[in-house]
């Protein structure tokens, strides 16, 4: 049928070209026909994309390629306590919160390869962020017409809500950049230690990415989604790359039912998600009793979360609670993290965001002391028609420790320019 219409359109063009087209309306009709023929030919140039002219076709004609990404550039002015003795330090930090380049290579309707290049990992290098290849996995959806999906490769683990919508990273995010007090914030990307050291015993909990995994997903109607994965723990030596740590005569993590994650997402009503997940991270050499009598070879965490887009108002409310025990592979340490936040759309282009988070760390030290981190964030976001957006934010963070007079705080004003494409 397409060939018939194309032949007819071309024939009309040939006939029209033999006429004296002095009439302006006739010229306009000829231009419209030319445009339609060009559009039809363009769609047929990308057969692997199902006729999607927005996709590229691979050189070997084996798949359609879609390219996207996310870039966020931040400027942060930080005033914080250097330590719990009351000394203060000021700094201005420029950073790329994200600089990702994504490739989706579709071999068919239900099978594709997904690759993410994390460009700023090569700029802001730390011990666990020095790998350009953030994600690289094969995905099969609706396997043989069923409700099952399969993912194989390297990517982010199906764990937690990981709602990270403001400039200041969430405690739940788990990438190590989420406290102005609990780490030497200005030391990221440097090769030498910063004299303005961490405040307290900050122990991270949350998102787990850059892991090799085998994952299966099951969907039941529009009500329930269950994701389960076996993965190789990056807390062993190797840091998300091809090598893996060894403990004596065996691997630190063999990928054989040692590290695993399960996440269930329930959608009882439209626009409301209830999420529960659990993860176990295994590190064989960390549990060696020769190191410490408190050492454990596994650390665990659970997450309960919700995300609700209120139907009658331009309002989204979200929250998450996490508990981790045997953390840092030590049976004396447990961590609790709580988050509550909201996004309100004043107009189609302006959002107001508020968020409060709390972290409690029972570090099992000699004084059996608990440490607390709290932060409150208020932000505004303006989105342009071209996809670029800008944000401005104020954050205040507190630290305090039980059974002592230790405390500290930080004030931070941040500005972001971003684009997702």
């Amino acid at each position: 049928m397409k060939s018939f219409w194309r032949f007819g359109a071309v024939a009309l063009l040939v006939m029209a070209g033999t006429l004296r087209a002095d009439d302006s309306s006739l010229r306009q009709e000829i231009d419209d026909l030319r445009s339609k023929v060009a559009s039809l030919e363009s769609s047929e140039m990308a057969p692997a994309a199902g006729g999607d002219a927005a996709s590229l076709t691979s050189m070997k004609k084996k798949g359609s390629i879609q390219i996207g990404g996310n870039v966020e550039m931040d400027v942060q002015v930080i005033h914080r306590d250097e330590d719990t003795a009351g000394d203060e330090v000021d700094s201005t930090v420029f950073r790329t919160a994200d600089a990702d380049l994504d490739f989706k290579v579709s071999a068919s309707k239900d099978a594709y390869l997904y690759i993410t290049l994390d460009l700023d990992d090569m700029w802001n290098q730390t011990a666990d962020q020095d790998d350009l290849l953030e994600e690289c996995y094969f995905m099969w959806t609706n396997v043989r017409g069923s409700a099952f999906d399969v993912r194989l490769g390297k990517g982010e683990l199906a764990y937690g809500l990981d709602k990270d919508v403001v400039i200041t990273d969430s405690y739940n995010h788990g990438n190590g950049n989420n406290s102005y007090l609990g780490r030497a914030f200005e030391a990221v990307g440097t090769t030498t230690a910063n004299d303005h050291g961490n405040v307290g015993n900050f122990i991270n909990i949350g998102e787990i990415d850059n892991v090799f995994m085998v994952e299966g997903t099951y969907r039941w109607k529009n009500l329930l989604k269950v994701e389960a994965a076996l993965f190789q723990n990056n807390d062993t030596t190797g840091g998300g790359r091809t090598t893996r740590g060894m403990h004596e005569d065996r691997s630190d993590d063999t990928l054989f039912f040692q590290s695993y994650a399960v996440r269930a997402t329930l959608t009882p009503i439209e626009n409301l998600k209830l999420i529960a997940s659990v993860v176990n991270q295994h590190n064989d050499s960390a549990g060696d009793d020769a190191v410490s009598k408190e050492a454990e070879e596994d650390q665990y965490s659970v997450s309960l979360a919700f995300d609700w887009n209120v139907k009658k108002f331009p309002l989204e409310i979200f929250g998450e609670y996490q508990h981790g025990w045997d953390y840092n592979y030590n049976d004396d340490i447990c961590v609790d993290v709580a988050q509550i936040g909201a996004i309100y759309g004043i107009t189609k282009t302006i959002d107001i965001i508020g968020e409060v988070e709390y972290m409690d760390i029972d570090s099992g030290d000699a004084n059996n002391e608990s440490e607390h981190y709290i932060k409150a964030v208020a932000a505004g976001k303006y989105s342009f028609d071209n996809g670029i957006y800008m944000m401005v934010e104020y954050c205040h963070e507190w630290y305090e420790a039980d059974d002592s007079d230790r405390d500290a705080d930080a004030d931070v004003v941040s500005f972001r320019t971003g684009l997702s494409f």
Side-chain angles (χ1 to χ4, degrees):
M1 183 61 71
K2 285 184 178 180
S3 298
F4 173 80
W5 285 113
R6 187 171 66 175
F7 175 80
V10 173
L12 284 174
L13 284 175
V14 172
M15 293 173 62
T18 63
L19 301 177
R20 294 178 58 87
D22 295 331
D23 188 90
S24 61
S25 62
L26 181 59
R27 290 179 179 176
Q28 183 62 46
E29 289 178 9
I30 293 173
D31 290 339
D32 289 343
L33 282 171
R34 286 173 176 165
S35 177
K36 290 177 181 178
V37 171
S39 177
L40 181 61
E41 291 177 343
S42 176
S43 67
E44 292 190 353
M45 287 176 65
D52 183 1
S55 299
L56 305 175
T57 304
S58 64
M59 289 185 290
K60 294 186 177 182
K61 312 297 183 183
K62 298 295 184 181
S64 64
I65 304 172
Q66 293 172 293
I67 301 175
N70 185 57
V71 176
E72 295 172 339
M73 295 291 297
D74 298 344
V75 181
Q76 298 184 290
V77 180
I78 305 170
H79 175 80
R80 68 180 179 94
D81 289 333
E82 178 182 16
D83 51 36
T84 56
D87 298 327
E88 297 180 342
V89 60
D90 296 311
S91 59
T92 299
V93 175
F94 291 82
R95 67 167 188 166
T96 51
D98 270 313
D100 299 338
L101 191 58
D102 303 322
F103 300 86
K104 183 179 179 181
V105 185
S106 298
S108 67
K109 178 182 177 182
D110 298 324
Y112 62 85
L113 168 67
Y114 197 88
I115 298 173
T116 295
L117 303 181
D118 193 344
L119 305 180
D120 71 330
D121 267 6
M122 307 309 293
W123 179 6
N124 296 331
Q125 288 194 11
T126 59
D128 61 345
Q129 289 188 335
D130 58 359
D131 187 6
L132 177 64
L133 192 61
E134 178 87 0
E135 296 187 359
C136 183
Y137 60 82
F138 289 93
M139 186 79 176
W140 290 270
T141 62
N142 306 310
V143 177
R144 299 191 65 83
S146 69
F148 288 92
D149 303 338
V150 175
R151 181 163 62 136
L152 175 63
K154 179 184 178 183
E156 181 177 338
L157 204 61
Y159 170 75
L161 176 64
D162 190 24
K163 197 74 171 181
D164 199 34
V165 295
V166 292
I167 299 175
T168 297
D169 289 327
S170 168
Y171 289 147
N172 288 306
H173 191 50
N175 67 353
N177 295 334
N178 37 26
S179 174
Y180 302 103
L181 297 170
R183 54 187 295 278
F185 189 85
E186 293 81 0
V188 171
T190 65
T191 57
T192 57
N194 192 300
D195 292 335
H196 308 295
N198 299 356
V199 175
N201 182 21
F202 187 82
I203 297 173
N204 208 210
I205 181 174
E207 174 207 39
I208 300 172
D209 58 7
N210 281 275
V211 296
F212 292 95
M213 71 179 80
V214 179
E215 179 188 80
T217 300
Y218 172 75
R219 292 179 175 84
W220 184 61
K221 299 181 178 179
N222 292 321
L223 183 64
L224 178 66
K225 181 172 73 170
V226 178
E227 303 157 278
L230 297 176
F231 68 97
Q232 200 164 38
N233 184 17
N234 281 349
D235 286 348
T236 65
T237 56
R241 289 156 290 177
T242 55
T243 56
R244 274 298 174 270
M246 293 289 291
H247 177 219
E248 298 175 347
D249 59 350
R250 57 191 179 276
S251 296
D252 269 330
D253 187 332
T254 64
L255 193 62
F256 188 68
F257 296 94
Q258 291 182 320
S259 295
Y260 56 85
V262 179
R263 179 168 65 186
T265 303
L266 180 67
T267 309
I269 61 174
E270 187 179 4
N271 298 325
L272 173 62
K273 293 181 179 180
L274 305 176
I275 304 167
S277 51
V278 60
V279 64
N280 175 70
Q281 295 173 270
H282 181 82
N283 188 352
D284 199 79
S285 57
D288 194 333
D289 288 341
V291 177
S292 169
K293 65 180 181 179
E294 292 86 15
E296 296 286 345
E297 63 183 17
D298 295 280
Q299 66 177 16
Y300 315 86
S301 56
V302 296
S303 167
L304 299 174
F306 75 93
D307 194 349
W308 182 29
N309 283 278
V310 183
K311 200 168 184 180
K312 295 183 179 181
F313 303 96
L315 176 66
E316 180 181 1
I317 305 173
F318 57 89
E320 183 174 10
Y321 167 74
Q322 290 191 78
H323 177 76
W325 62 96
D326 292 349
Y327 240 68
N328 270 10
Y329 307 96
N330 186 317
D331 64 5
D332 284 341
I333 300 178
C334 62
V335 185
D336 292 279
V337 180
Q339 174 196 47
I340 188 73
I343 305 172
Y344 181 74
I346 296 179
T347 68
K348 291 184 178 180
T349 59
I350 300 176
D351 292 331
I352 298 297
I353 308 170
E355 189 176 282
V356 177
E357 296 191 348
Y358 172 80
M359 176 180 285
D360 178 86
I361 302 170
D362 185 353
S363 54
D365 59 16
N367 299 321
N368 197 26
E369 186 173 64
S370 292
E371 299 174 287
H372 315 285
Y373 293 88
I374 307 169
K375 63 184 171 189
V377 180
K381 180 179 180 180
Y382 182 84
S383 301
F384 296 91
D385 293 338
N386 57 15
I388 294 175
Y389 62 89
M390 292 185 176
M391 296 180 66
V392 62
E393 172 188 294
Y394 169 73
C395 172
H396 186 81
E397 185 175 22
W398 299 264
Y399 166 85
E400 63 178 11
D402 292 342
D403 304 323
S404 74
D405 295 329
R406 295 189 298 155
D407 63 76
D409 62 1
D411 292 282
V412 183
V413 175
S414 304
F415 178 79
R416 167 174 291 175
T417 304
L419 173 64
S420 294
F421 58 94

